[in-house]
Amino acid sequence: MTMRPYATGLVWGESPRWHGGALWVSDTQGARLWTDASGEWRPADLDSPCNGLWFLPDGRLVGAMLREQRIGQWDGRAWRDYADLADLGVGPLGDLTGDADGNLYVDDVAFDAAAGEEPAPGRIILVRPDHSVAVAAEDVEFPNGLALVDAGATLVVAQTAARRLTAFEVLADGTLGERRCYADLADLVGPDARPDGIWPAEQGVWVATTSGQAVVRVGEGTVHETVSTAPLLPIACCLRDDGLVIATLADTHGAPLLDAVKSRAVTASAVLIEPAEAARTTP
């Protein structure tokens, strides 16, 4: 198993997405959108940061605007309005994923941990192709990474503070039904495994465990593969078309994670990971 550099320059790299032979990454702390779609790895400066990214079925890039209560649509220079979430009273927005019909799911994280706000219950928000919005799930503890698995029948949500993955049944109309524990990472991986970004994988999902210092492929209640990133902290991950894993890794330069984020002492990079052959198939 190998891990090799792909890109540098990030402060905090969230929601890596591979599309059209290029990588796209949200730099939430640097207020930039990075990509090498032009053939050169470079950022677009933003007035305010985006967080989760997703490509709609027609190829348009949408993003969860971290502090703006809206989903934006990238026009090559700025984020235009795609869906307004203000009426739902959302807090900071987290990750973003979508299905083949154009439905989107986004985290309402509810509080800003880096700013020292008191924890509050989060939610999952459904954004339909007609831009209408609704609360899909309530009382989700620190929702973070999102991934659709089982051919879209299941939405897996990373709950960072709870150190677990929770699975929701996706109903025919796109709303979410019953929930269950998908993987108790504290038990399966270790007490430091706090999931951030996740991505669909063969027989489960890839999980970036941040302070767990590993990218792990887990199935329901089991671990299939572990890739150590020590001493770096994996933030998020995705798959390339060739099945290689792209992970964004944080270097806190020896400081505690939240302290490094608050003081902007953290830096991040993207790496390529070659997983076991059985895990190279893109779901």
Side-chain angles (χ1 to χ4, degrees), residues 142-170:
F142 204 133
N144 212 322
L146 300 169
L148 286 162
V149 300
D150 303 334
T154 303
L155 178 70
V156 179
V157 180
Q159 293 182 257
T160 302
R163 296 175 295 173
R164 68 173 177 263
L165 306 181
T166 297
F168 289 84
E169 177 189 12
V170 178

Side-chain angles (χ1 to χ4, degrees), residues 12 18 42 48 59 71-72 88 91 98 108 124 126 135 138-139 144 147 176 236-237 240 243 249 251 254 275-276:
W12 186 265
W18 185 260
R42 60 186 183 187
S48 67
I71 304 298
L88 298 181
D108 172 12
I124 307 300
L126 169 63
V135 176
E138 303 263 14
D139 297 322
N144 212 322
L176 301 179
C237 55
R240 274 197 339 188
L249 308 180
D251 187 346

Side-chain angles (χ1 to χ4, degrees), residues 11-15 195-198 208-210 233-237 247-250 268:
V11 180
W12 186 265
E14 286 281 7
S15 198
D196 190 335
I198 63 176
T209 66
T210 56
L233 284 62
I235 304 166
C237 55
T248 51
L249 308 180

Side-chain angles (χ1 to χ4, degrees), residues 3-261:
M3 186 166 65
R4 61 183 187 269
Y6 184 91
T8 59
L10 299 154
V11 180
W12 186 265
E14 286 281 7
S15 198
R17 300 291 185 253
W18 185 260
H19 181 78
L23 177 63
W24 298 74
V25 180
S26 282
D27 191 342
T28 55
Q29 300 302 313
R32 290 173 162 180
L33 176 65
W34 288 82
T35 183
D36 55 1
S38 67
E40 178 184 357
W41 180 246
R42 60 186 183 187
D45 292 326
L46 306 174
D47 292 334
S48 67
C50 55
N51 200 344
L53 302 175
W54 194 253
F55 284 91
L56 295 170
D58 62 8
R60 287 177 294 167
L61 175 63
V62 289
M65 306 310 296
L66 181 61
R67 301 185 182 94
E68 293 188 17
Q69 297 186 309
R70 69 183 179 108
I71 304 298
Q73 178 182 318
W74 184 245
D75 68 4
R77 297 176 302 278
W79 291 105
R80 296 191 290 111
D81 288 341
Y82 180 82
D84 187 352
L85 308 183
D87 286 348
L88 298 181
V90 297
L93 298 180
D95 204 8
L96 185 65
T97 194
D99 65 18
D101 295 324
N103 291 307
L104 298 171
Y105 298 91
V106 61
D107 300 314
D108 172 12
V109 181
F111 72 101
D112 188 343
E117 293 182 2
E118 288 296 316
R123 301 178 293 179
I124 307 300
I125 306 299
L126 169 63
V127 181
R128 298 189 182 280
D130 65 0
H131 313 295
S132 63
V133 300
V135 176
E138 303 263 14
D139 297 322
V140 185
E141 184 179 353
F142 204 133
N144 212 322
L146 300 169
L148 286 162
V149 300
D150 303 334
T154 303
L155 178 70
V156 179
V157 180
Q159 293 182 257
T160 302
R163 296 175 295 173
R164 68 173 177 263
L165 306 181
T166 297
F168 289 84
E169 177 189 12
V170 178
L171 304 178
D173 63 356
T175 59
L176 301 179
E178 293 186 2
R179 70 182 75 183
R180 67 186 186 276
C181 180
Y182 188 83
D184 183 341
L185 297 181
D187 179 58
L188 293 171
V189 180
D192 292 328
R194 293 174 173 82
D196 190 335
I198 63 176
W199 191 260
E202 185 75 10
Q203 299 178 319
V205 295
W206 284 102
V207 184
T209 66
T210 56
S211 51
Q213 298 184 349
V215 179
V216 184
R217 183 167 61 93
V218 303
E220 191 153 358
T222 189
V223 174
H224 296 300
E225 187 174 357
T226 300
V227 181
S228 173
T229 62
L232 304 180
L233 284 62
I235 304 166
C237 55
C238 69
L239 285 182
R240 274 197 339 188
D241 296 339
D242 59 6
L244 295 187
V245 178
I246 298 177
T248 51
L249 308 180
D251 187 346
T252 65
H253 307 282
L257 176 56
L258 285 181
D259 290 345
V261 171

